[in-house]
Amino acid sequence: MKIDLIISADDIKEEKVKNKTAVVIDMLRATSVITTALNNGCKRVVPVLTVEEALKKVKEYGKDAILGGERKGLKIEGFDFSNSPMEYTEDVVKGKTLIMTTTNGTRAIKGSETARDILIGSVLNGEAVAEKIVELNNDVVIVNAGTYGEFSIDDFICSGYIINCVMDRMKKLELTDAATTAQYVYKTNEDIKGFVKYAKHYKRIMELGLKKDFEYCCKKDIVKLVPQYTNGEIL
Amino acid sequence: MKIDLIISADDIKEEKVKNKTAVVIDMLRATSVITTALNNGCKRVVPVLTVEEALKKVKEYGKDAILGGERKGLKIEGFDFSNSPMEYTEDVVKGKTLIMTTTNGTRAIKGSETARDILIGSVLNGEAVAEKIVELNNDVVIVNAGTYGEFSIDDFICSGYIINCVMDRMKKLELTDAATTAQYVYKTNEDIKGFVKYAKHYKRIMELGLKKDFEYCCKKDIVKLVPQYTNGEIL
């Protein structure tokens, strides 16, 4: 099995994704939100690229649909929830359809549509994602959402963590140099938080007063579920 | 001063390079060859993209022109020299014009043409490049040639080394996450060689029996010169 890594949503090239197992990562915070919401009983997540599309979709899905996401890290006007995983508790998401649009994460999901399987990864469910990767037994590309089309330390180390979880389960792996480097960065910073503090994105999260979100998004193995994106929906 | 990093010749975007100081890196081995040849008295290096172009240029430059480069790491038929820095000794390069085409390095140089200044960097001249960066006092983008359009560990750690040399000279620096990560990888592997061994490109170099080239290309600060590319020529 080969594992490759794409550093941001802007760097996705179809030939790198096609027919593979894609793992989309936007640990601060889109893929942590999706994982948390589904784990708390949300029925499905529908990622869309624009606010307009979100407002259209919410009508299509009817009364059980809720709106979540962010622009510049902040809640969008008229939306029910922001991009904070802490808001997506069981009492508000159970049985609901979450229509979601974020700056980086939803673009990375949509950009990976030619993959055979699309998994949603985060630190929260890293072990479960690795389990699923082994089960699918196909070449893997880890797609980092990045931040505004740039390489982002948070997603890179999260990728390294997931690669490391796969290595614990499977000996015969071929990593590209990008994947090897991500695993190295994780392996030398296993607490994750210490290194994420060097990320530009971390500074933005702190400016917005989202320290609790940050702490939560760095927790390993608290979710056993692996969200999968198929035909426009994450289940 | 800001320092950014582009992971491969395929990932160059004009807006990331325009009007900046670009530092092109292909440490194994094009930029080590260029640095070595000029340091040994070569008059100029003319990088071109194709073998056809090289054969045309060599006629233009006349009797003092020599041909060097590689395809798949090997010497090109009809060329005088391969891509091994060891071949470019004073007795063969002094006063000559080297017409050169390589798989990754020359593409990275050509792709950086919108930069204000284009410096040629390697481990060999890392300290001198840092000195020049400080002198130019402009935002910097380090352009990794990469290997066949991919992120390559050798160029990434070499970038980290040069960034570290700049940090030794200048306190107020703003690094992108990619630049921060490269500097981290270097800082935790200061001998360079130990980490380059994880590179796919390293395996290729060893398969070709080029261990001596590898050892040479990892030597720090043995060249005090900084080649600069202007109007099609490196001086």
Side-chain angles (χ1 to χ4, degrees):
Chain A
M1 185 190 286
K2 291 178 189 168
I3 305 186
D4 191 11
L5 183 152
I6 292 173
I7 60 164
S8 94
D10 274 12
D11 296 286
I12 298 171
K13 288 162 194 153
E14 199 186 311
E15 71 271 20
K16 290 192 150 217
V17 175
K18 208 172 173 180
N19 297 326
K20 291 188 183 166
T21 299
V23 181
V24 179
I25 294 178
D26 186 3
M27 70 161 277
L28 292 175
R29 299 167 284 160
T31 59
S32 297
V33 164
I34 294 166
T35 303
T36 303
L38 290 166
N39 195 49
N40 287 338
C42 177
K43 209 158 133 192
R44 62 173 79 82
V45 179
V46 181
V48 296
L49 293 174
T50 65
V51 173
E52 296 64 40
E53 221 182 324
L55 295 169
K56 209 180 121 195
K57 279 278 178 200
V58 82
K59 283 179 195 155
E60 265 177 56
Y61 279 92
K63 71 173 178 39
D64 279 341
I66 53 175
L67 277 167
E70 56 75 32
R71 283 299 178 268
K72 295 181 181 168
L74 299 168
K75 188 171 142 179
I76 300 163
E77 213 189 303
F79 273 43
D80 303 302
F81 302 101
S82 78
N83 199 29
S84 167
M86 318 298 278
E87 293 181 21
Y88 296 81
T89 51
E90 194 177 341
D91 56 316
V92 299
V93 299
K94 194 156 183 138
K96 305 280 186 184
T97 293
L98 167 62
I99 315 293
M100 190 180 183
T101 180
T102 69
T103 318
N104 311 297
T106 48
R107 279 202 306 130
I109 295 168
K110 292 283 181 183
S112 303
E113 280 181 339
T114 58
R116 197 171 80 186
D117 300 284
I118 304 174
L119 315 181
I120 304 300
S122 62
V123 177
L124 309 176
N125 69 343
E127 293 283 357
V129 167
E131 200 73 60
K132 190 77 190 172
I133 285 171
V134 172
E135 183 193 316
L136 291 170
N137 198 23
N138 185 16
D139 287 340
V140 175
V141 58
I142 302 192
V143 180
N144 288 3
T147 305
Y148 300 113
E150 298 274 344
F151 177 108
S152 202
I153 279 175
D154 43 345
D155 293 336
F156 195 66
I157 194 168
C158 176
S159 304
Y161 166 54
I162 292 176
I163 293 164
N164 201 67
C165 293
V166 178
M167 287 169 84
D168 287 342
R169 289 167 168 79
M170 217 174 180
K171 293 300 153 216
K172 272 195 128 181
L173 284 177
E174 189 186 325
L175 308 187
T176 61
D177 280 16
T180 298
T181 306
Q183 193 267 340
Y184 170 77
V185 168
Y186 166 71
K187 202 63 197 170
T188 51
N189 296 279
E190 290 201 352
D191 77 322
I192 295 181
K193 283 196 273 188
F195 198 72
V196 172
K197 288 182 178 168
Y198 296 119
K200 281 199 179 303
H201 196 186
Y202 171 80
K203 292 177 190 78
R204 177 71 186 148
I205 293 281
M206 289 302 123
E207 279 163 20
L208 294 171
L210 299 169
K211 192 165 187 291
K212 275 190 187 162
D213 277 15
F214 168 69
E215 298 280 345
Y216 172 77
C217 291
C218 291
K219 283 186 184 162
K220 290 178 192 173
D221 202 26
I222 61 166
V223 176
K224 304 293 176 193
L225 161 151
V226 181
Q228 276 195 260
Y229 175 82
T230 338
N231 301 323
E233 297 183 342
I234 304 168
L235 301 173
Chain B
M1 185 189 287
K2 292 178 190 170
I3 304 185
D4 191 11
L5 184 153
I6 293 173
I7 60 164
S8 94
D10 275 11
D11 295 287
I12 298 171
K13 288 163 196 156
E14 199 186 310
E15 71 271 19
K16 291 194 148 217
V17 175
K18 208 173 173 180
N19 297 325
K20 291 188 184 168
T21 299
V23 182
V24 178
I25 293 177
D26 185 2
M27 71 162 275
L28 291 176
R29 301 165 286 160
T31 60
S32 297
V33 164
I34 294 167
T35 303
T36 302
L38 290 166
N39 196 50
N40 287 339
C42 177
K43 209 159 135 192
R44 61 172 81 79
V45 179
V46 181
V48 296
L49 293 174
T50 64
V51 174
E52 294 65 38
E53 223 181 324
L55 295 169
K56 209 179 125 197
K57 279 277 177 199
V58 84
K59 284 181 195 156
E60 266 177 56
Y61 279 92
K63 70 174 176 44
D64 279 343
I66 53 175
L67 277 167
E70 55 75 31
R71 283 298 179 270
K72 295 184 183 167
L74 299 168
K75 190 170 138 179
I76 300 162
E77 213 188 304
F79 273 43
D80 304 304
F81 303 102
S82 78
N83 199 31
S84 167
M86 318 299 277
E87 293 181 21
Y88 295 82
T89 52
E90 195 177 338
D91 56 316
V92 298
V93 300
K94 193 156 185 139
K96 305 282 187 181
T97 292
L98 167 61
I99 316 292
M100 191 181 181
T101 181
T102 69
T103 318
N104 312 296
T106 48
R107 280 203 304 133
I109 295 168
K110 292 285 180 181
S112 302
E113 279 181 337
T114 58
R116 197 172 78 185
D117 299 284
I118 303 173
L119 314 180
I120 305 300
S122 63
V123 177
L124 309 176
N125 69 344
E127 293 283 355
V129 168
E131 200 73 59
K132 190 77 190 170
I133 285 172
V134 172
E135 184 194 316
L136 291 169
N137 196 24
N138 185 16
D139 287 341
V140 175
V141 59
I142 302 191
V143 181
N144 288 3
T147 304
Y148 300 112
E150 298 273 344
F151 177 108
S152 199
I153 279 176
D154 43 345
D155 293 335
F156 194 65
I157 193 167
C158 177
S159 305
Y161 167 54
I162 292 177
I163 293 164
N164 201 67
C165 293
V166 178
M167 288 169 83
D168 287 341
R169 289 165 169 80
M170 216 175 181
K171 293 299 154 217
K172 271 195 130 182
L173 285 177
E174 190 187 321
L175 307 187
T176 61
D177 280 15
T180 299
T181 306
Q183 193 267 341
Y184 169 78
V185 168
Y186 167 70
K187 201 64 195 168
T188 50
N189 297 280
E190 291 202 353
D191 76 324
I192 296 181
K193 284 195 274 188
F195 198 72
V196 172
K197 288 183 178 169
Y198 297 120
K200 279 196 181 305
H201 196 187
Y202 170 80
K203 291 177 192 79
R204 177 71 184 148
I205 293 282
M206 288 303 122
E207 279 165 17
L208 295 172
L210 299 168
K211 190 164 187 291
K212 276 188 185 164
D213 277 16
F214 168 69
E215 298 280 344
Y216 173 78
C217 291
C218 291
K219 282 186 184 162
K220 291 179 191 173
D221 202 24
I222 60 165
V223 176
K224 304 294 177 193
L225 165 149
V226 181
Q228 277 193 260
Y229 175 82
T230 337
N231 300 322
E233 296 183 344
I234 304 169
L235 300 172

